[in-house]
Amino acid sequence: MGDYKLSISSKDKGLFGVVGHVGVGHVHSHSGFVQDDSAGFAVVAAFLRDVIDADTHIKKVEGDPSMGKIFVETYGGGVGVTRARRGLTPWELQLLKRAEDEDGIYSQSVAIKTFGRMYGQGAMEVPVALQGAITLSVMDTLVKQAPHLISVTESQFPGKIDKMVGMILDVGNVPVSFLLNINGTEGGIGPDEDLEGNTTGGDKGNLMSKLGMLEIPTIIVESKAYIPALKDKISDITFFVRAQKGIDNSYVGNALISALEDLNLSHIFSEEALPQKEGQLQALTSELGNRIIELGQELKKVDLAYDKVNIVAELAKLISEDAGAVTFMSNSLHDVVRGAGMIPGTSAVISMLVPQNYKDYYKIPMLEPMDVRNYQRIILKALKKLIIYGNEASEELKQRIQR
């Protein structure tokens, strides 16, 4: 296998898969969870960019105040266009310029640096729309740089800005399918992530079939997140690997853990974090709906302005934060693929955790170049292990690798 250098493949299907997505505007969830949900997008985009030598830095950002449109162009010639539902003010047009010369693969970080912070669910439409335009421009850059090597979905998903591209790269001499997903809604109101992970809906499924990704062992790259339930288990940046026992691909999970151990990077492994619980998201959705109703009932009863403003402020917090936990995916789909969009039997997911002091200072996690480099190191080392040892559940795959 030599040095396992990453290179353009002559094959049209991969033996393993790597998937990364961006949930445009999916910043908050319930119980204080907060994340940069662009990590997977950045990591996979960086793999592709490095191999084809594309420039993903932002050359120009412009806005149309009457239509609320945001236009982003990279130095690599990629263009992305989105719309902010409630339009753009002249001062927002000025602020948009702050994104110029930033690297577009860090889409949430750029949007937050431009506007200070970001909330989804329609609470802050302009930063979310900017993030969406940035990701579309990065993806367009990759396609324009290597149109004969990259496959792209062409159909428009109703009400969404979703788009996917895929490319086959060789790790050593073994072909690996890399899939890049953008999941967002028109108007900057996201998130909507029914097509995250290695789910196979619509034109995305056709693209995955073309790349041979429907059943192969797959690494799903997820967010950089603060998870309150795990805050006491970490004191620094920590990688989090999940592969539900009896449901997900434990061989992929073990390869990721082995890679993390070899690299001496702090990590946690869970085989119980992603259970399949029918009706779980429906129950959370009903719970949120009931809380909104309760606040509405309280509002109907009060007289004082002080009481009214506090109730409405609590409602705004509920919508801009907790609601992200239920709006991001359809209830019935969640019953099968769970929060990371994982087709059972195929994959394991790797994400990154930040400690309490990080969250206290930054409020919202933001991906950095070192984060992406570490993700890449882990993924390449894990792929090498999978290539060497194969997937014990598939003798055919082992024989193909050995050939």
Side-chain angles (χ1 to χ4, degrees):
M1 296 294 176
D3 294 328
Y4 294 92
K5 291 182 179 179
L6 204 61
S7 59
I8 295 169
S9 180
S10 61
K11 306 291 179 60
D12 58 1
K13 294 183 186 297
L15 299 182
F16 301 94
V18 179
V19 178
H21 92 117
V22 53
V24 179
H26 194 192
V27 183
H28 296 84
S29 185
H30 62 84
S31 305
F33 177 100
V34 59
Q35 66 178 347
D36 184 335
D37 201 22
S38 71
F41 178 91
V43 171
V44 174
F47 274 128
L48 303 186
R49 176 194 64 185
D50 293 347
V51 170
I52 64 176
D53 192 25
D55 190 344
T56 55
H57 287 79
I58 297 168
K59 178 181 180 181
K60 182 169 59 177
V61 184
E62 295 181 341
D64 180 342
S66 61
M67 301 294 292
K69 287 187 176 181
I70 296 174
F71 307 83
V72 176
E73 181 183 355
T74 68
Y75 283 98
V79 175
V81 182
T82 55
R83 179 179 62 85
R85 181 178 59 162
R86 288 179 283 189
L88 299 168
T89 70
W91 299 274
E92 286 170 328
L93 292 176
Q94 293 178 20
L95 288 172
L96 286 172
K97 293 295 183 181
R98 297 174 61 176
E100 293 180 349
D101 292 320
E102 296 281 353
D103 189 344
I105 72 167
Y106 305 98
S107 60
Q108 178 166 306
S109 295
V110 175
I112 289 175
K113 288 178 182 178
T114 302
F115 286 98
R117 64 172 66 203
M118 182 163 65
Y119 293 96
Q121 298 81 252
M124 290 184 72
E125 296 156 10
V126 178
V128 175
L130 172 62
Q131 183 187 17
I134 290 170
T135 59
L136 288 168
S137 72
V138 168
M139 187 173 282
D140 191 46
T141 301
L142 299 173
V143 173
K144 286 178 175 175
Q145 182 71 11
H148 56 297
L149 299 173
I150 294 180
S151 300
V152 58
T153 56
E154 297 295 346
S155 61
Q156 176 68 42
F157 298 90
K160 303 182 183 184
I161 62 169
D162 288 29
K163 206 168 188 64
M164 297 87 197
V165 299
M167 184 177 182
I168 311 296
L169 299 176
D170 282 341
V171 178
N173 61 2
V174 173
V176 177
S177 298
F178 286 79
L179 182 68
L180 188 61
N181 301 330
I182 296 174
N183 306 129
T185 52
E186 293 180 349
I189 62 172
D192 177 341
E193 299 174 42
D194 280 355
L195 295 174
E196 73 167 317
N198 67 341
T199 56
T200 58
D203 203 13
K204 180 191 174 190
N206 297 330
L207 174 59
M208 290 177 63
S209 178
K210 178 181 178 181
L211 298 169
M213 297 190 72
L214 297 181
E215 296 180 352
I216 58 176
T218 298
I219 296 170
I220 294 178
V221 191
E222 260 288 347
S223 64
K224 181 178 182 178
Y226 169 74
I227 303 179
L230 297 175
K231 67 180 181 180
D232 294 332
K233 295 184 178 182
I234 65 171
S235 58
D236 204 345
I237 298 293
T238 300
F239 286 92
F240 186 28
V241 177
R242 290 167 286 170
Q244 188 71 18
K245 189 174 183 179
I247 298 176
D248 296 317
N249 193 310
S250 61
Y251 304 103
V252 177
N254 289 332
L256 287 165
I257 291 299
S258 181
L260 284 157
E261 290 171 348
D262 287 356
L263 293 168
N264 197 30
L265 292 170
S266 178
H267 61 275
I268 298 173
F269 181 39
S270 175
E271 294 182 298
E272 306 296 335
L274 289 165
Q276 277 186 321
K277 292 184 179 178
E278 187 173 346
Q280 183 182 41
L281 191 57
Q282 173 61 59
L284 287 172
T285 303
S286 296
E287 183 181 320
L288 176 70
N290 287 333
R291 183 61 183 134
I292 292 171
I293 291 170
E294 289 171 6
L295 288 170
Q297 293 296 340
E298 289 180 36
L299 184 63
K300 288 168 65 176
K301 298 174 184 177
V302 299
D303 170 59
L304 296 178
Y306 178 83
D307 293 328
K308 288 189 285 185
V309 75
N310 274 279
I311 291 170
V312 171
E314 182 61 27
L315 182 61
K317 188 173 185 295
L318 194 67
I319 296 300
S320 64
E321 296 183 12
D322 291 45
V326 303
T327 61
F328 80 101
M329 184 175 284
S330 299
N331 297 336
S332 56
L333 179 63
H334 187 274
D335 288 345
V336 178
V337 304
R338 297 148 293 151
M342 303 167 71
I343 297 297
T346 62
S347 60
V349 60
I350 181 169
S351 53
M352 176 183 282
L353 306 178
V354 301
Q356 183 70 50
N357 60 350
Y358 179 104
K359 192 262 184 181
D360 289 344
Y361 183 76
Y362 289 103
K363 307 303 184 290
I364 298 172
M366 296 166 60
L367 200 68
E368 300 176 4
M370 180 57 73
D371 300 331
V372 170
R373 286 194 290 272
N374 279 332
Y375 266 119
Q376 289 181 304
R377 292 168 65 209
I378 297 162
I379 291 164
L380 285 177
K381 190 167 281 288
L383 286 170
K384 295 172 191 177
K385 293 175 182 292
L386 288 168
I387 289 167
I388 292 171
Y389 299 113
N391 180 346
E392 294 176 21
S394 173
E395 287 297 323
E396 178 186 357
L397 179 62
K398 287 171 63 178
Q399 292 170 10
R400 289 168 67 189
I401 292 170
Q402 290 165 1
R403 287 199 299 268

